[in-house]
Amino acid sequence: MKIGVLGAGNMGGAILQGLVNKVDPSSLFVLNPVNPRVSELQKKLGFQLFNEPTAFKSQQLDVVIATVPAPVTVTVLKQLNGINPETVIISAAGGIRIKEVKTALPNNPVVAIIPNTPVAINQGTIATTFEQQINEQSKQTANQVLSLLGDVIIASEPKLGIMGTVGGCGPAFVDVFMDAMADAAVEEGLDRKTAYQVIASMVAGSGKLAFNTGKTPADLKDQVTSPGGTTIKGVTELEANGFRNAIIKAIKSSNGSM
Ligand SMILES: NC(=O)C1=CN([C@@H]2O[C@H](COP(=O)(O)OP(=O)(O)OC[C@H]3O[C@@H](n4cnc5c(N)ncnc54)[C@H](OP(=O)(O)O)[C@@H]3O)[C@@H](O)[C@H]2O)C=CC1
Ligand SMILES: O=C(O)[C@@H]1CCC=N1
């Protein structure tokens, strides 16, 4: 399998790291303008780097994952005009619809995804929409690559936005939460390194518990709040300070509905 990645920034870099954990780096082909940061990344991960589209698009790639900034995605994909029509184009651009990608490469199968940064450790959440006309072979090729990176969750195109907001933007919200928790722990006298270790472990474990048991977050919260105990005092304080409302507003704002 030959995998192309357009743009080795934060998302492209995370995808490349996740792929290098699973496949030979010689099967990874990256297109990015000349940039010392990307050259360093190439040295570290060992992929093949191209600085202009002509040589990149003639590599007989099975898939190309586009992780250039969303506003330039269609323009950059147009530069791949003439690429093998069997190459599956996987666009990770937030807010760019399949039909817009098709305007750039009308003959190629198109898949729209919103991944998240945990793809770097193969624990990503990848909301995925296939174009309606896609054939089974192209679907399988895309699935084969994406499932190396984490959970592939199929979405209808109208739901891709909100799934991507929760899954794709979500890590940043969790990071803000963890950072604030660490500040409080430091104020209470814990050293920062230990605080980060406890918090990351707790968040990972809580996520896995919800995932593995299928219990609702509300049920899981109720199991922690012992009657008359310490947790319910903290939960009450979160409610008094509008924590739940802040999260709801953050999701709606990132999703473009406020
Ligand atoms: N960050 C995230 O968690 C997520 C991002 N996405 C999507 O991924 C895309 C990239 O986001 P992000 O990684 O955060 O952005 P970054 O700015 O970190 O990365 C963009 C990369 O694209 C490169 N690039 C710019 N123009 C071109 C071009 N013409 N040809 C090839 N490469 C180019 C940039 O190179 P240079 O630095 O040299 O300019 C850079 O390496 C967006 O569409 C975003 O919606 C989706 C889900 C999650
Ligand atoms: O912030 C962004 O626009 C991208 C899309 C989802 C996560 N990051």
Side-chain angles (χ1 to χ4, degrees):
M1 176 86 75
K2 293 171 93 176
I3 304 170
V5 175
L6 275 185
N10 287 309
M11 194 64 244
I15 286 174
L16 286 161
Q17 178 64 65
L19 290 173
V20 164
N21 298 339
K22 298 280 183 177
V23 302
D24 193 307
S26 65
S27 63
L28 302 177
F29 301 77
V30 174
L31 177 64
N32 200 98
V34 175
N35 178 327
R37 175 187 58 76
V38 177
S39 302
E40 277 307 304
L41 192 68
Q42 181 204 15
K43 271 191 214 142
K44 183 179 155 211
L45 300 182
F47 51 75
Q48 305 198 43
L49 179 60
F50 297 81
N51 298 129
E52 56 79 36
T54 311
F56 174 82
K57 73 182 174 191
S58 62
Q59 297 300 317
Q60 294 303 316
L61 302 167
D62 294 286
V63 305
V64 167
I65 309 177
T67 55
V68 290
V72 302
T73 296
V74 172
T75 309
V76 175
L77 284 171
K78 277 187 183 152
Q79 295 170 1
L80 300 190
N81 201 278
I83 197 169
N84 179 353
E86 286 179 9
T87 303
V88 183
I89 307 299
I90 302 179
S91 163
I96 303 293
R97 304 195 53 179
I98 288 176
K99 69 175 182 199
E100 296 174 74
V101 176
K102 289 297 270 190
T103 62
L105 295 169
N107 300 323
N108 289 79
V110 171
V111 181
I113 62 169
I114 300 294
N116 62 8
T117 47
V119 294
I121 54 160
N122 311 94
Q123 308 241 332
T125 308
I126 306 136
T128 303
T129 302
F130 299 103
E131 75 159 292
Q132 267 176 357
Q133 315 305 330
I134 198 166
N135 66 35
E136 266 316 302
Q137 177 61 47
S138 303
K139 230 182 195 181
Q140 263 184 31
T141 302
N143 262 325
Q144 209 178 320
V145 173
L146 296 175
S147 57
L148 296 171
L149 297 169
D151 290 327
V152 177
I153 304 181
I154 307 298
S156 64
E157 195 168 27
K159 297 287 182 262
L160 188 68
I162 181 59
M163 281 172 62
T165 298
V166 176
C169 307
F173 305 149
V174 173
D175 293 334
V176 171
F177 170 72
M178 293 199 294
D179 194 35
M181 246 193 185
D183 282 350
V186 169
E187 196 179 359
E188 293 295 307
L190 192 60
D191 69 275
R192 210 162 257 287
K193 187 164 172 254
T194 309
Y196 290 147
Q197 191 184 1
V198 172
I199 292 163
S201 167
M202 175 278 294
V203 169
S206 302
K208 278 194 192 130
L209 187 66
F211 200 77
N212 293 353
T213 61
K215 289 188 174 165
T216 66
D219 276 345
L220 292 167
K221 180 261 293 172
D222 288 351
Q223 287 176 7
V224 188
T225 49
S226 311
T230 53
T231 314
I232 194 66
K233 290 189 169 64
V235 169
T236 303
E237 205 57 40
L238 288 177
E239 296 295 353
N241 285 283
F243 180 76
R244 188 183 290 264
N245 188 47
I247 301 291
I248 290 169
K249 291 230 168 92
I251 295 290
K252 287 173 74 90
S253 178
S254 284
N255 203 45
S257 55
M258 336 175 9

